Amino acid sequence: MERSRRKFFRDAGAATLGLGCGLPMLGTGCSSAGEGAQSDSGSTGQLAMVIDLEKCHNDEIRTACAEACRKAHNIPEIPDPDDEIEWIWDEHYEHVFEDLVHERTPHELKEAPVLVLCNHCDKPPCVRVCPTQATWKRDSDGVVMMDMHRCIGCRYCMAACPYGSRSFNWRDPRDYIEMDADGEFLTDFPTRSRGVVEKCNFCVDRIREGLIPACVEAAAGVPGGEGAMVFGDLRDPHSEVNRLLEEKNTIVRRHSLGTGPNVYYIV
Amino acid sequence: MLDAAFRGSKRYWTILAVWVALIVIGGIAFARQMTEGLTITGMSQDVTWGIYIAQFTFFVGVAASAVMVVLPYYLHDFKAFGRMVILGECLAISAVLMCILFIMVDMGQPQRFTNVLLHPTLNSMMFWDSLALMGYLFLNLIIGATTLDAERKGAPPARWVKPLIILSIPVAVSIHTITAFLYSGLEARPFWMTAILAPRFLASAFASGPSLLILLALILRKMNKFDVGREAIRKLALIVAYAMVINIFFTGVEFFTALYSDMPHHTMAFEYMFRGIEGHNSLAPWMWTGMSIALISAILLIIPKIRANERFLPFLCVGVITSIWIEKGMGIVVTGFVPSPLGKIVDYSPTGAEVMVTVGVYGIGLLVLTLLYKIVVEVRARQNVTYEKVM
Amino acid sequence: MNDRKKIYVGLAILIIAVTFPFWYGLVVTGDSTRPELFLPPDATECIEETGFMTANHMVLLKEWRDTAVREGEREYTSRSGEVIKISLTSTCISCHGRKDEFCARCHDYSNVKLTCWNCHVAPEGK
């Protein structure tokens, strides 16, 4: 806090003196170098999610999840699939776990719906390729963050993500966001602008206030949805996610790529 | 020196007017893109890069290929390239400029472009590519301007330019290598993740760039009596022939690994390109055309008599450029996105607006190239006059 | 020097073009009075002195933006020692709720484009 306040006054002072165009830029440059160094140090936590595939066969649970997420983050509903924004959604088992199916896998299993979202990888390829550090892995809890102010919209992260978890705002999302009867947005969560990439943020805004992610909460609210999705910290030995990972047979998406996904599925 | 660009025949102004018209067309479409967003392009959540990035990739190659005249002339003192070198450097300037513009028009937030430099990110290939491209642009501007100015004064260029010229050689190689690394370092895209991508990019660059240079030199000769000399054209044609054969060899190597191992991840991309998957076969006619033209041009280029014949050579050059334009400009970039990480096969074709923006960028490149070549031709012409006076 | 005329004409055009914003503002809009802002009735000063805020609010907001989004730091200590929550939608808006009568007034007047509300949900909705 102290550091940032000092930095602010230094920049502000320079701006007042009429050096506005040069020095604040230097300031930001220095701060970004600091950020880079920070992310090299070992992280202190890693949030993770365990999804029970069988419980999530229930359509109601998955719909409730996606709906809760959409409302919590002012996600637009764009009818054109080319422009659609998705944070958490359904995909067929055979596409999510491509290596686990073969010609003789039963048809129903191949087409079974699976909830997919950002994996908040240990070694996220999107973070590796981003030219502006608009996306980075947060030290404190391992969430892969997005800075919508920083993103230049080059979409390199989308080419790099092996899970298709990222969406680009091809058009202004505001025209497609659900509003209440008074014409107000459902929440205060900032909408995005045209030309930036977005994705699931593990509900960092809710975690900060001591809540669990909206999808996890919504799933638990549906009858039979208890334990369909479990959320917690992997560094906490007593966390529910750790207990499940020890007891159950779990898998992750495309493990062989070495990205280290943190969304686990109970088979 | 620059005043030459402001004086010219009616024909010169007509050419400039045509380029400006292209720029206006592009400007109109780009204004629409800035108000409505990139939704007006044919790109989608699954195919996130299209014709802009493909054109960028192609022109990085054209820019890098200037090294094919710079290196023999400066390192091996190959005198025949004396008049060709400056044409290569000017082409590089115009090509890099187009590369930067193609990146800009592809960005969702182009006004934030400076973020790449304000927040330098050493692990991002795109950061390094921006640095290399801008460095290469400045190097060529400085080298081109100083050598031409020296020539105008009839003196040898300043000595400090020589190290910059030497430096421009590895930088030229690096711009295309890093551009290949943009693609080949992604575990998400098996089609791109191949070590031969960078060598392949370089080989195709050294075929397409010099081909374009030959065409430009022939046009200049016809229009302005500015002759680079038969020897220079002939040597450049030889370079094109070798590079094209190596390019085809590298592509063949790719084919072998994918098709012989028969791993679905690797064969699928080739299947999509040449046959189409589940009816998605819009690329197939392009790829077959491209490959046929590449093979025919390469075979004819190998035959010394045909290669040396300046009536055939322009057609062979057009063939080489077209085939590589299809391969890099349509094939490699788009196919990397097929299938998507979630198994979807989504076709891409550029929209009218996207083509217009592309044409606009071409217009800027051609305008810059025309102005630069005009200056070069004038400086050379005036010099000849002084020579004649002296003699 | 028969180019003298051309040079003078060029210079004149340059001067007119450079000073365009000034005379355009004077002649066309004809209004150069200070915009009137809606200010909270029960407060005398923002989180820092008024003069400082007028000159530097954009720098402060950018700094807040980066510390909150990137470093997760959500507290700011003002020069008077008060600890303030870093939040556009709760701290700033709690006083400056009417953005059309506060932010927009000055920004329209000085023709500086404001992009905050393209994403952040403004108090009075869309």
Side-chain angles (χ1 to χ4, degrees), chain C residues 1 6 9 19 28 56 71 77 80 84-86 98 110 126:
Chain C
M1 281 287 125
K6 281 185 199 166
V9 172
T19 54
V28 180
N56 297 308
E71 291 159 35
T77 314
S80 62
I84 290 152
K85 185 184 171 196
I86 295 184
R98 303 190 194 168
S110 51
K126 208 175 171 184

Side-chain angles (χ1 to χ4, degrees), chain B residues 226-281:
Chain B
F226 176 88
D227 194 356
V228 292
R230 283 185 68 87
E231 176 68 4
I233 303 253
R234 214 179 287 175
K235 270 285 177 300
L236 216 44
L238 184 66
I239 290 173
V240 172
Y242 274 113
M244 196 58 190
V245 170
I246 295 172
N247 179 38
I248 288 172
F249 171 69
F250 283 169
T251 312
V253 168
E254 282 266 51
F255 268 83
F256 171 79
T257 324
L259 302 183
Y260 188 77
S261 68
D262 207 16
M263 274 172 73
H265 267 300
H266 295 276
T267 50
M268 223 171 153
F270 290 93
E271 200 184 327
Y272 176 73
M273 277 196 287
F274 288 95
R275 231 185 10 223
I277 302 174
E278 295 162 20
H280 297 271
N281 55 7

Side-chain angles (χ1 to χ4, degrees), chain A residues 109-142:
Chain A
L109 180 57
K110 274 188 180 171
E111 301 212 328
V114 177
L115 273 178
V116 293
L117 64 157
C118 171
N119 280 300
H120 296 275
C121 302
D122 289 338
K123 287 193 275 173
C126 52
V127 170
R128 186 177 77 222
V129 302
C130 177
T132 60
Q133 296 154 43
T135 191
W136 75 99
K137 190 165 174 68
R138 191 156 78 174
D139 281 342
S140 56
D141 55 12

Side-chain angles (χ1 to χ4, degrees), chain C:
Chain C
M1 281 287 125
N2 47 8
D3 279 346
R4 181 168 295 195
K5 218 172 171 182
K6 281 185 199 166
I7 292 170
Y8 282 136
V9 172
L11 270 179
I13 292 172
L14 180 75
I15 290 167
I16 292 171
V18 168
T19 54
F20 177 80
F22 298 102
W23 58 261
Y24 181 82
L26 278 174
V27 175
V28 180
T29 24
D31 182 16
S32 60
T33 45
R34 224 181 134 91
E36 221 171 279
L37 301 183
F38 169 79
L39 296 169
D42 49 343
T44 52
E45 203 166 67
C46 198
I47 56 166
E48 302 284 359
E49 299 102 74
T50 310
F52 178 86
M53 289 309 289
T54 312
N56 297 308
H57 65 278
M58 62 301 255
V59 190
L60 180 103
L61 283 171
K62 263 191 186 160
E63 181 69 23
W64 274 26
R65 179 188 86 186
D66 287 345
T67 46
V69 175
R70 306 192 65 88
E71 291 159 35
E73 180 60 63
R74 299 227 163 221
E75 279 181 352
Y76 170 80
T77 314
S78 74
R79 277 199 265 203
S80 62
E82 201 185 339
V83 176
I84 290 152
K85 185 184 171 196
I86 295 184
S87 168
L88 176 70
T89 33
S90 55
T91 306
C92 303
I93 290 314
S94 65
C95 287
H96 304 297
R98 303 190 194 168
K99 77 168 166 64
D100 291 339
E101 291 163 37
F102 185 72
C103 317
R105 287 267 163 92
C106 271
H107 277 261
D108 287 348
Y109 174 74
S110 51
N111 198 13
V112 176
K113 217 173 135 197
L114 191 58
T115 50
C116 310
W117 309 112
N118 291 356
C119 295
H120 288 277
V121 176
E124 65 267 45
K126 208 175 171 184

Side-chain angles (χ1 to χ4, degrees), chain A residues 168-208:
Chain A
F168 180 71
N169 285 280
W170 298 98
R171 54 174 83 200
D172 189 353
R174 284 216 166 176
D175 305 334
Y176 303 90
I177 298 174
E178 189 188 335
M179 305 227 199
D180 62 16
D182 305 327
E184 306 262 342
F185 290 115
L186 300 181
T187 61
D188 270 354
F189 192 84
T191 69
R192 273 68 65 196
S193 66
R194 188 160 35 74
V196 296
V197 174
E198 63 181 87
K199 66 169 195 75
C200 157
N201 66 352
F202 255 4
C203 279
V204 282
D205 43 304
R206 290 170 57 93
I207 295 168
R208 199 172 65 236

Side-chain angles (χ1 to χ4, degrees), chain A residues 57-220:
Chain A
H57 280 175
N58 182 343
D59 291 344
E60 246 179 275
I61 296 178
R62 294 192 323 279
T63 319
C65 283
E67 191 67 9
C69 176
R70 206 168 51 72
K71 288 192 164 140
H73 302 110
N74 281 324
I75 297 171
E77 276 182 295
I78 302 173
D80 181 355
D82 281 358
D83 293 2
E84 207 177 9
I85 308 281
E86 291 171 312
W87 285 32
I88 181 165
W89 74 102
D90 283 357
E91 287 286 346
H92 287 175
Y93 183 88
E94 61 175 332
H95 293 139
V96 183
F97 304 110
E98 196 190 359
D99 281 347
L100 301 183
V101 294
H102 48 80
E103 289 85 60
R104 288 164 166 265
T105 307
H107 195 66
E108 309 86 71
L109 180 57
K110 274 188 180 171
E111 301 212 328
V114 177
L115 273 178
V116 293
L117 64 157
C118 171
N119 280 300
H120 296 275
C121 302
D122 289 338
K123 287 193 275 173
C126 52
V127 170
R128 186 177 77 222
V129 302
C130 177
T132 60
Q133 296 154 43
T135 191
W136 75 99
K137 190 165 174 68
R138 191 156 78 174
D139 281 342
S140 56
D141 55 12
V143 174
V144 175
M145 305 281 291
M146 263 308 294
D147 184 348
M148 300 301 173
H149 311 98
R150 180 76 68 86
C151 176
I152 59 172
C154 70
R155 308 186 293 289
Y156 197 7
C157 55
M158 296 176 77
C161 176
Y163 307 102
S165 297
R166 291 173 162 264
S167 308
F168 180 71
N169 285 280
W170 298 98
R171 54 174 83 200
D172 189 353
R174 284 216 166 176
D175 305 334
Y176 303 90
I177 298 174
E178 189 188 335
M179 305 227 199
D180 62 16
D182 305 327
E184 306 262 342
F185 290 115
L186 300 181
T187 61
D188 270 354
F189 192 84
T191 69
R192 273 68 65 196
S193 66
R194 188 160 35 74
V196 296
V197 174
E198 63 181 87
K199 66 169 195 75
C200 157
N201 66 352
F202 255 4
C203 279
V204 282
D205 43 304
R206 290 170 57 93
I207 295 168
R208 199 172 65 236
E209 283 160 20
L211 300 167
I212 55 169
C215 55
V216 179
E217 191 183 85

Side-chain angles (χ1 to χ4, degrees), chain B residues 334-367:
Chain B
V334 174
T335 308
F337 293 99
V338 180
S340 80
L342 283 156
K344 262 192 271 177
I345 294 158
V346 178
D347 283 322
Y348 161 84
S349 56
T351 59
E354 218 172 341
V355 172
M356 279 165 73
V357 171
T358 306
V359 164
V361 176
Y362 273 29
I364 296 177
L366 286 165
L367 180 71

